[in-house]
Amino acid sequence: MARRVRKAVLPVAGLGTRIQPAAKVTQKNLLNVFDRPMLAHVVAEGRAAGIEHFVIVLGRGHGAIEDYFDHAFELEAGLETKGKTEVLEAVRADLLEPGQMSFVRQMAPLGLGHAVWCAREIIGDEPFAVMLPDMLMDATPGGLSQAVAAHEATGGANVVVVEPAPPGEAHKYGIVALGETFAGFDGRLKAMTGMVEKPPPGTEPSNLFISGRYVLGPGVFEALSAHATGAGGEIQLTDAMLKRLASEPYFALEYDGVTYDCGDPIGLLRANVAFALRSPTAANQARAAVEAVLGRA
Ligand code: G1P
């Protein structure tokens, strides 16, 4: 029986190189996607998957992220006085209960693997999720819910969400090598036989890239504690998972949904349009606005 996945690590300490200068003073993950910061969409996806504790791995100067999930007394009092109930509810919807969020400082940008390792004491000895907040997933059920379902179906195995890389772009990502298909999941859940971070073009073992949701056993921390560097001179989560693959099962789930890479301006634009068009209250207005812009283009 799989243990319940209660905690998620959200690494946000990256420099946001591909989206500068937009992320110079506003932390990248606080950039807006339709009606709230991209990070708030990802936390909502985590809550829907049963996550009760979010460990956010911050870099220097990222305090605004802590403030976003806290009360804003002046704003809330002002909205209350003016009777702006709907706005007040929207503002409060993203708040978590006290104690449901921890903030950990990654003191140097040494890589994704290092960021996850920074959360080890708070995760402890239980399975946990990793969510990369700039990879926004539009899916029902959510991307992490699908991964947790696969984790449970496999009796508690490690699960990594994957999807086909755009042609010619596989070398920019972590790429998986696959073996046998697991029964159910419409053939979309397969045992992993290998993985490689940013393979040189032409050497990719498949076109399926790791797209930003993971359910991992705590054993990965042991592999990460070696602090071995890999692609780009960084401590890579993919390398640590590969090490564990020798002794633990790993599955790749080709999830059912659409991913927007909000770490670059066009991905962020696409996410904004997509999330506006699926909004129950604003879809018609959003469609009219997009069509008006296109009509002038
Ligand atoms: C990270 C991971 C990579 C994954 C990618 C998804 O890379 O290391 O395996 O495919 O996120 O966005 P990064 O984007 O930090 O280079």
Side-chain angles (χ1 to χ4, degrees):
M1 255 270 288
R3 286 169 71 189
R4 223 160 71 67
V5 182
R6 304 184 304 139
K7 300 178 185 173
V9 179
L10 280 62
V12 303
L15 298 175
T17 323
R18 290 177 298 141
I19 197 156
Q20 295 298 353
K24 188 174 158 192
V25 293
T26 303
Q27 209 281 338
K28 174 176 78 171
N29 299 279
L30 290 179
L31 293 175
N32 192 57
V33 173
F34 177 50
D35 61 351
R36 55 203 351 97
M38 69 175 91
L39 182 58
H41 289 288
V42 176
V43 167
E45 179 193 326
R47 291 171 93 175
I51 299 300
E52 294 167 359
H53 193 109
F54 294 85
V55 186
I56 304 201
V57 185
L58 304 168
R60 257 181 301 284
H62 293 168
I65 288 185
E66 297 186 37
D67 293 341
Y68 183 80
F69 293 100
D70 192 0
H71 284 287
F73 280 110
E74 207 172 17
L75 172 64
E76 290 176 37
L79 292 171
E80 203 147 16
T81 310
K82 291 191 176 119
K84 304 250 180 211
T85 324
E86 268 180 42
V87 186
L88 184 61
E89 277 170 12
V91 166
R92 287 185 175 154
D94 291 341
L95 298 182
L96 296 171
E97 296 298 318
Q100 287 190 324
M101 190 164 274
S102 301
F103 300 93
V104 175
R105 182 73 78 94
Q106 186 186 19
M107 294 157 71
L110 300 179
L112 176 60
H114 180 258
V116 171
W117 180 78
C118 288
R120 67 200 180 281
E121 291 294 337
I122 300 173
I123 298 301
D125 188 28
E126 59 180 280
F128 66 103
V130 175
M131 308 179 80
L132 306 188
D134 53 358
M135 300 300 271
L136 210 52
M137 293 188 169
D138 189 359
T140 313
L144 187 62
S145 295
Q146 296 182 35
V148 168
H151 171 74
E152 285 168 356
T154 55
N158 299 278
V159 173
V160 177
V161 171
V162 299
E163 65 188 89
E169 297 204 355
H171 65 280
K172 295 183 181 168
Y173 297 101
I175 301 293
V176 298
L178 299 177
E180 277 182 25
T181 302
F182 188 86
F185 292 86
D186 301 327
R188 291 179 290 105
L189 183 61
K190 295 195 168 82
M192 279 167 64
T193 54
M195 58 192 118
V196 51
E197 184 65 25
K198 303 195 174 59
T203 68
E204 303 90 344
S206 77
N207 73 331
L208 292 172
F209 80 97
I210 297 171
S211 61
R213 303 292 181 270
Y214 313 68
V215 177
L216 303 174
V220 77
F221 290 122
E222 198 186 305
L224 287 170
S225 66
H227 299 302
T229 52
E234 295 187 346
I235 299 169
Q236 297 290 355
L237 180 58
T238 306
D239 295 343
M241 295 192 297
L242 178 63
K243 224 167 151 183
R244 297 302 295 180
L245 179 59
S247 52
E248 293 174 5
Y250 270 79
F251 286 86
L253 173 69
E254 220 180 311
Y255 92 117
D256 182 15
V258 180
T259 308
Y260 299 101
D261 180 353
C262 296
D264 86 75
I266 296 296
L268 185 62
L269 173 68
R270 287 178 62 222
N272 267 285
V273 174
F275 276 62
L277 290 177
R278 68 155 210 204
S279 153
T281 51
N284 291 342
Q285 254 181 303
R287 184 170 299 281
V290 171
E291 280 168 1
V293 172
L294 289 174
R296 256 184 275 121

